[in-house]
Amino acid sequence: MKSSHLSKAAQLMGLAIYGIGILFSSCSTQATQAENTDVSVRTVSAELPVIEAELTTPPMVPAPITRKHPAKVVVRLEVTEEVKRLADGVDYTFWTFGGSVPGKFIRIRQNDEVEFHLLNHPDSKNPHNIDLHAVTGPGGGASSTFTAPGHETVFNFKALNPGLYVYHCATAPVGMHIANGMYGLILVEPEEGLPAVDKEYYVMQGDFYTKGKFGEAGLQPFDMEKALDEKPTYVVFNGAVGSLTGDNAITAKKGETVRLYVGNGGPSLISSFHVIGEIFDKVYPEGGSNVNTNVQTTLVPAGGAAITEFKVEVPGNYVLVDHSIFRTFNKGALGMLKVEGSEELAIYSGQISDKVLKPEGSTIQEMPMAEAPKAQVANNKDMRIALGKTVYVQNCQACHQAEGQGIQGAFPPLAKSDFLNDNVDRAIGVVAHGLEGQIKVNGEVYNSTMPKLKLSDEQIANVMTFVLNNWGNKGGEVTLKQVSKARASNPH
């Protein structure tokens, strides 16, 4: 047997041994619980007030805790296995805590006593459990929560340490359960509470391993070979490409302070979390009590978390990224924070000058791809629009923005664009061949470079149809014949 195969076999054996150990421990614990179920629940202090935990779906966060005393907090979290969107046209069977990826956000207070209920929906095909990194005890709760479909398990723990912690499934094969979306965050607030901020959001990165290539349509199965090689097809925030863009973008107003609870479910990659155009005033690395200030990018390990805080002084769109940057623009790890308010020209002026430095020798940049990826064939205009949205998010959104508004002085708008609407064939040619030099769009001059994208005729027709039918443009459908004609009349 080849050494690489031996290595993969060893990894699989390791996963199985770890899972079997938890299973045996779980079975032993469950036998005890079966005899003493009432006793185990009553170990929580009887004199504490009882509170049913508020659980929220990402990117939302439960309200800050204002009480000044510990409580008995009852957490009920249900596991479901369900088909959901991974990208436009791409579905995946996610295994979830609470119906979302990442799972529901849990917020408790230091020294709270937690009665944790894990429910596994009867329609599930697999047993599951939960390992909460906030728990002091065997398996972080995994040994007490091995839960078959249609069952409910209960255990108690005391929140001894404040911080922001990951939770995840630890049933064998552990990596597969995590890779299918079984992770989330639990915040244990310190006794004195956290400093007040204006906005709080929940952002968690994860890597997904599908049989098909990025963007390949249909219901995609999990690929163990890619997972073992740690070569994900998708790297995304909050479980899907575009989960934090467009109408799903998080928001703030100029002058507000934003706190992001950032997690990384992995299972494999480390995240280099960064917000383009902002500096983190504070970072709580590893989700702990230490504070770093004036941070540009912070590392979030697989199975780890960080808290970032920053004040937004300038309005505009701020892009959330994994600064291992190909993951952002080619695998999906991109989000958006939209900040409203009046301009602050003393802090950020926008472009005030644009001069030709060296006009000779300019050339069209070309994206370094060996060949255009295969595109799903659209059968009608509506399908072309849907597929075009995926192409737009993957290739165009970073420059032209989620609503096609562009970036003033840098990248021209596609929304209500006279350049586009007056001559669609010309615009198709720009996508096919790239563009260098000045153009005027909606009365404003732009002199940036549009790279030549390695897109198939089908993808160009799709993305152009998507753009034409959004943001106040004139509508219509771009055909493969139009694209072929534009490609043949290459002016360069």
Side-chain angles (χ1 to χ4, degrees), residues 317 348 397-401 404-413 444 446:
N317 292 330
Y348 183 77
Q397 182 169 287
C399 295
H400 295 290
Q401 303 295 290
Q405 71 269 32
I407 298 176
Q408 188 173 11
F411 301 108
E444 214 174 312
Y446 293 85

Side-chain angles (χ1 to χ4, degrees), residues 356-378:
V356 176
L357 177 64
K358 197 172 183 180
E360 70 276 8
S362 62
T363 183
I364 296 296
Q365 297 181 25
E366 186 167 335
M367 297 299 285
M369 294 171 58
E371 60 182 18
K374 293 180 181 178
Q376 186 179 4
V377 177

Side-chain angles (χ1 to χ4, degrees), residues 19-199:
I20 290 169
I22 288 176
L23 175 57
F24 284 162
S25 176
S26 170
C27 291
S28 173
T29 304
Q30 281 184 300
T32 304
Q33 287 177 335
E35 298 172 2
N36 302 293
T37 301
D38 293 338
V39 174
S40 71
V41 172
R42 283 201 300 269
T43 58
V44 177
S45 302
E47 67 274 10
L48 292 178
V50 178
I51 297 173
E52 194 81 21
E54 176 194 4
L55 307 181
T56 57
T57 301
M60 307 316 294
V61 178
I65 295 173
T66 56
R67 55 186 164 86
K68 302 302 180 184
H69 54 79
K72 172 185 173 180
V73 181
V74 181
V75 177
R76 304 180 196 276
L77 192 59
E78 183 178 34
V79 172
T80 61
E81 301 173 3
E82 49 191 286
V83 174
K84 299 169 73 72
R85 173 189 171 277
L86 178 57
D88 287 339
V90 182
D91 291 328
Y92 190 80
T93 302
F94 293 92
W95 299 350
T96 80
F97 286 112
S100 64
V101 178
K104 302 287 190 181
F105 195 98
I106 305 169
R107 191 170 198 157
I108 59 177
R109 182 182 182 273
Q110 185 181 11
N111 290 320
D112 279 348
E113 296 183 0
V114 179
E115 179 182 302
F116 197 98
H117 297 243
L118 185 68
L119 304 88
N120 193 353
H121 194 278
D123 291 343
S124 294
K125 303 296 190 297
N126 305 277
H128 300 284
N129 63 7
I130 191 166
D131 170 2
L132 301 110
H133 292 186
V135 170
T136 301
S143 62
S144 302
T145 55
F146 186 83
T147 311
H151 285 244
E152 175 182 356
T153 56
V154 184
F155 81 105
N156 300 314
F157 72 92
K158 187 171 183 177
L160 300 178
N161 302 90
L164 180 64
Y165 299 98
V166 167
Y167 65 80
H168 62 86
C169 187
T171 300
V174 181
M176 181 178 181
H177 283 247
I178 297 174
N180 285 340
M182 298 197 76
Y183 46 79
L185 292 181
I186 176 170
L187 173 66
V188 182
E189 286 201 31
E191 290 182 315
E192 67 276 14
L194 292 171
V197 294
D198 298 296
K199 295 287 178 65

Side-chain angles (χ1 to χ4, degrees), residues 122-431:
D123 291 343
S124 294
K125 303 296 190 297
N126 305 277
H128 300 284
N129 63 7
I130 191 166
D131 170 2
L132 301 110
H133 292 186
V135 170
T136 301
S143 62
S144 302
T145 55
F146 186 83
T147 311
H151 285 244
E152 175 182 356
T153 56
V154 184
F155 81 105
N156 300 314
F157 72 92
K158 187 171 183 177
L160 300 178
N161 302 90
L164 180 64
Y165 299 98
V166 167
Y167 65 80
H168 62 86
C169 187
T171 300
V174 181
M176 181 178 181
H177 283 247
I178 297 174
N180 285 340
M182 298 197 76
Y183 46 79
L185 292 181
I186 176 170
L187 173 66
V188 182
E189 286 201 31
E191 290 182 315
E192 67 276 14
L194 292 171
V197 294
D198 298 296
K199 295 287 178 65
E200 294 184 314
Y201 293 108
Y202 174 19
V203 178
M204 197 162 187
Q205 184 169 315
D207 26 286
F208 290 87
Y209 304 82
T210 63
K211 288 285 186 184
K213 295 179 180 180
F214 185 94
E216 190 168 321
L219 179 61
Q220 290 294 322
F222 171 76
D223 189 321
M224 180 61 84
E225 288 296 314
K226 286 184 180 178
L228 291 176
D229 291 338
E230 298 185 0
K231 294 181 177 179
T233 320
Y234 296 85
V235 183
V236 298
F237 295 134
N238 290 5
V241 176
S243 64
L244 291 172
T245 62
D247 293 339
N248 299 317
I250 57 178
T251 62
K253 294 180 180 178
K254 187 186 75 173
E256 289 185 326
T257 301
V258 177
R259 177 181 290 143
L260 300 180
Y261 297 103
V262 183
N264 183 7
S268 298
L269 302 185
I270 295 172
S271 175
S272 302
F273 186 73
H274 175 75
V275 177
I276 298 175
E278 263 298 344
I279 297 166
F280 301 136
D281 300 323
K282 295 180 182 178
V283 171
Y284 298 78
E286 306 287 343
S289 301
N290 294 327
V291 180
N292 292 338
T293 58
N294 302 323
V295 175
Q296 58 187 317
T297 301
T298 189
L299 289 176
V300 186
I307 303 173
T308 70
E309 296 176 6
F310 52 97
K311 183 178 180 180
V312 285
E313 291 95 349
V314 177
N317 292 330
Y318 295 82
V319 182
L320 284 58
V321 302
D322 180 341
H323 218 296
S324 296
I325 210 71
F326 280 107
R327 299 175 189 172
T328 291
F329 297 114
N330 298 86
K331 295 197 172 186
L334 184 148
M336 191 77 69
L337 167 65
K338 296 181 179 180
V339 178
E340 296 181 349
S342 57
E343 292 184 343
E344 284 291 341
L345 298 180
I347 298 175
Y348 183 77
S349 71
Q351 187 181 72
I352 58 175
S353 178
D354 180 13
K355 300 177 181 179
V356 176
L357 177 64
K358 197 172 183 180
E360 70 276 8
S362 62
T363 183
I364 296 296
Q365 297 181 25
E366 186 167 335
M367 297 299 285
M369 294 171 58
E371 60 182 18
K374 293 180 181 178
Q376 186 179 4
V377 177
N379 297 320
N380 53 58
K381 177 182 171 183
D382 289 342
M383 188 176 181
R384 204 174 282 291
I385 292 171
L387 294 173
K389 181 179 179 182
T390 300
V391 178
Y392 183 83
V393 170
Q394 294 169 8
N395 297 277
C396 315
Q397 182 169 287
C399 295
H400 295 290
Q401 303 295 290
E403 278 79 41
Q405 71 269 32
I407 298 176
Q408 188 173 11
F411 301 108
L414 301 179
K416 299 179 181 178
S417 167
D418 55 6
F419 184 90
L420 167 66
N421 291 297
D422 291 349
N423 191 334
V424 174
D425 290 333
R426 175 181 59 187
I428 295 170
V430 170
V431 177

